[in-house]
Amino acid sequence: MFGTVVVGVGIAGLARIRDLMNPMPSSPSEHLKLFGFVSRRSFGNINEAKQISLEDALRNKDIHAAFISTENKSHEETIRMFLEAGKHVLVEYPMALSAKAAHELWEMAEQKGKILHVEHIELLTEEYKQLKKEVAGKDLVKGTLHFTGHVLDENKSGFPAFSGIARLTWLIDLFGDLTVTSATREKQKDKNYSRMTVHFQTANK
């Protein structure tokens, strides 16, 4: 069995715990053993998974891999700690708040002989696969992607562009490399409202 730990118990972390506790029959997940989860908050147990300290997760030789599901800003530091401790790492997208940090982490994983995998689970959904089929072989002339959400804590989630970076990855996967041509941000603090508008060009303009 391959020992694992889940770090962070938001929506993604809870889904990880659920799936590790109840793996699909004959799937690779059956070979993973969840030793527990790490959280800043005190829970005790969640679905029979026990809470353990970060120190125990890093020290435990029976834990071979960490699933990191924390807020964006803490990804880099948490990845470094688990790689230093000799663990493989799976992290929710985005891996870090800068490309420079991401490249450093990949180099570190390579030096340690460990796997560092970034998972962007939205790209694996049936809805996204269908969208990809629909645009295959077509040229993009013009388009708009609009999405809404709660105003996020920038100290935890990173600057506003990172709140939507998962959706921007859709566009790059569908249409290739993009260049930012302009970006604006509107804020209305009294209404707890923020909007970022960004224009991109594809490689063929």
Side-chain angles (χ1 to χ4, degrees):
M1 294 293 284
F2 201 75
T4 63
V5 62
V6 172
V7 184
V9 288
I11 294 171
L14 290 172
R16 295 274 183 211
I17 292 170
R18 178 200 66 209
D19 293 345
L20 287 165
M21 297 294 286
N22 302 286
M24 288 179 66
S26 303
S27 73
S29 298
E30 285 193 315
H31 302 287
L32 301 177
K33 179 181 179 182
L34 179 65
F35 272 81
F37 66 90
V38 174
S39 176
R40 291 186 303 264
R41 295 172 287 171
S42 181
F43 288 98
N45 287 5
I46 296 176
N47 298 337
E48 297 180 18
K50 65 177 181 177
Q51 185 166 2
I52 62 176
S53 70
L54 176 61
E55 292 73 21
D56 286 345
L58 292 167
R59 279 198 306 258
N60 191 330
K61 300 297 182 192
D62 292 323
I63 293 176
H64 307 102
F67 290 43
I68 298 173
S69 304
T70 56
E71 61 272 3
N72 296 342
K73 193 171 184 180
S74 68
H75 286 182
E76 181 183 343
E77 182 185 1
T78 310
I79 291 168
R80 285 186 193 280
M81 285 191 289
F82 278 97
L83 287 178
E84 284 286 0
K87 319 285 186 192
H88 302 288
V89 175
L90 180 146
V91 61
E92 305 289 342
Y93 186 91
M95 180 165 70
L97 296 188
S98 74
K100 180 176 181 285
H103 286 293
E104 287 173 2
L105 292 170
W106 265 313
E107 286 172 13
M108 183 179 179
E110 197 170 331
Q111 288 166 3
K112 297 278 184 184
K114 299 299 170 186
I115 292 169
L116 171 55
H117 176 70
V118 187
E119 184 162 279
H120 189 346
I121 204 162
E122 289 179 355
L123 301 185
L124 305 176
T125 63
E126 289 307 315
E127 294 88 346
Y128 184 79
K129 288 176 185 175
Q130 183 59 38
L131 177 62
K132 195 159 185 179
K133 278 182 191 171
E134 288 175 17
V135 303
K138 296 177 182 172
D139 287 328
L140 176 67
V141 178
K142 189 176 182 180
T144 301
L145 177 65
H146 177 79
F147 56 93
T148 60
H150 296 290
V151 177
L152 299 177
D153 181 346
E154 291 184 26
N155 289 325
K156 293 180 180 177
S157 300
F159 48 93
F162 264 81
S163 304
I165 199 165
R167 302 303 192 287
L168 301 184
T169 306
W170 290 9
L171 297 179
I172 292 169
D173 188 56
L174 293 170
F175 304 113
D177 286 345
L178 302 171
T179 302
V180 178
T181 57
S182 68
T184 57
R185 185 183 182 192
E186 175 191 347
K187 287 180 79 173
Q188 296 178 24
K189 279 195 173 180
D190 56 324
K191 294 181 180 176
N192 201 26
Y193 174 84
S194 176
R195 180 173 68 184
M196 178 168 276
T197 304
V198 186
H199 293 94
F200 300 95
Q201 273 192 342
T202 58
N204 62 3
K205 306 297 180 187

